[in-house]
Amino acid sequence: LWWATPEAVKVWGKALENENFIVLDDFLPQEDAQALVQVARRLRGQMAPGKTDDAIAAAGRGDQITWVKPDEIPELGALVEHLNGLVTLMMELPEASAAQTRLSQVSALSDAQFAMFPGGVTPDDARYIRHVDNEDGLNGRLLTCTFYLNENWDAEEHGGEIRLFQADQRTVKADIAPVFNRLVSFFSDSSMPHEVRRTRRERDAITIWYINQDMHLAYHQAEDDGQ
């Protein structure tokens, strides 16, 4: 795995430290990535519109999603194994690393979210407006890992980039195309606002979050209790 070599870790470790995100192409062996493309197609029939607690964000969210437990989909095994390896390398960054400190509370990983943007023709049905995965710091999400499944993707023609912002939520940090076998990983807190740009072709991704499980469970228990 090219991204696990000491030389590569030194490069992306510095990027994570300075920019709060990394992009790793050819993250999985080709056959494992191809298998996940087939899984995403197979799951289309059980997808439903994505929801969010924020009414404004919900109105600007056009994806179809389904959640699966990684151990229920054998083809997810390679992705989870490689993500665990990546996060282990993150946690082994030099002790002075802020990244290591921010990940010190990781105790579990979430279920896998399969998401498909339909590539619609109206402005609001194929995008996800700017948001933060853990804006108030309470839902337990610490690290977002999104893996893309889109073969022959042309960003100029198809759009669909994930746009990353500075913490001010205005300054654009990067536009990243959702190309096949690409992983984008970033901290889930307010340092990384992001959005999905309007897409003109079906766009598939899998997202897994590394979480503080106690905080995550408490957050959802409070939701269930109406707090």
Side-chain angles (χ1 to χ4, degrees):
L1 298 173
W2 73 267
W3 49 263
T5 65
E7 296 82 3
V9 172
K10 187 174 182 179
V11 172
W12 63 249
K14 182 177 291 186
L16 184 65
E17 183 79 11
N18 295 335
E19 302 295 338
N20 297 317
F21 77 95
I22 57 173
V23 179
L24 302 177
D25 286 345
D26 297 318
F27 184 67
L28 292 183
Q30 286 287 309
E31 61 271 20
D32 293 322
Q34 288 283 357
L36 288 170
V37 171
Q38 299 306 314
V39 171
R41 291 173 181 165
R42 194 167 73 231
L43 293 174
R44 292 283 176 85
Q46 65 189 61
M47 289 184 169
K51 298 179 180 180
T52 180
D53 297 335
D54 184 280
I56 295 175
R61 179 176 184 176
D63 55 343
Q64 301 279 323
I65 70 168
T66 190
W67 293 89
V68 298
K69 295 186 180 303
D71 58 4
E72 294 177 353
I73 303 286
E75 295 90 339
L76 275 170
L79 179 60
V80 170
E81 179 184 352
H82 285 69
L83 287 176
N84 284 343
L86 175 66
V87 173
T88 296
L89 290 171
M90 291 180 180
M91 291 178 168
E92 292 174 350
L93 291 171
E95 289 186 8
S97 166
Q100 186 188 66
T101 301
R102 293 166 81 171
L103 294 173
S104 63
Q105 295 185 51
V106 167
S107 58
L109 67 163
S110 72
D111 291 346
Q113 177 191 267
F114 282 75
M116 186 274 291
F117 285 85
V121 295
T122 60
D124 294 330
D125 66 354
R127 64 175 185 140
Y128 192 165
I129 63 171
R130 186 181 62 234
H131 62 284
V132 173
D133 287 353
N134 187 8
E135 188 163 18
D136 58 11
L138 298 177
N139 71 20
R141 290 176 174 176
L142 298 171
L143 185 75
T144 302
C145 298
T146 299
F147 182 73
Y148 294 106
L149 303 172
N150 308 294
E151 298 175 283
N152 304 312
W153 191 271
D154 182 332
E156 185 173 344
E157 178 182 356
H158 301 134
E161 302 95 336
I162 183 170
R163 172 168 284 184
L164 306 178
F165 293 88
Q166 300 281 7
D168 64 11
Q169 301 202 19
R170 294 183 177 86
T171 307
V172 175
K173 183 187 287 280
D175 285 337
I176 304 165
V179 302
F180 174 73
N181 207 3
R182 170 174 285 173
L183 179 80
V184 177
S185 183
F186 53 87
F187 294 114
S188 305
D189 60 21
S190 57
S191 68
M192 287 305 304
H194 55 283
E195 68 183 25
V196 175
R197 307 286 287 165
R198 182 181 172 192
T199 178
R200 294 177 289 277
R201 196 192 102 178
E202 288 186 352
R203 174 192 189 275
D204 288 285
I206 305 168
T207 300
I208 292 175
W209 286 268
Y210 282 79
I211 63 174
N212 179 305
Q213 191 168 34
D214 289 343
M215 290 184 68
H216 188 71
L217 292 174
Y219 179 84
H220 287 288
Q221 183 61 54
E223 277 190 330
D224 293 341
D225 294 343
Q227 298 180 18

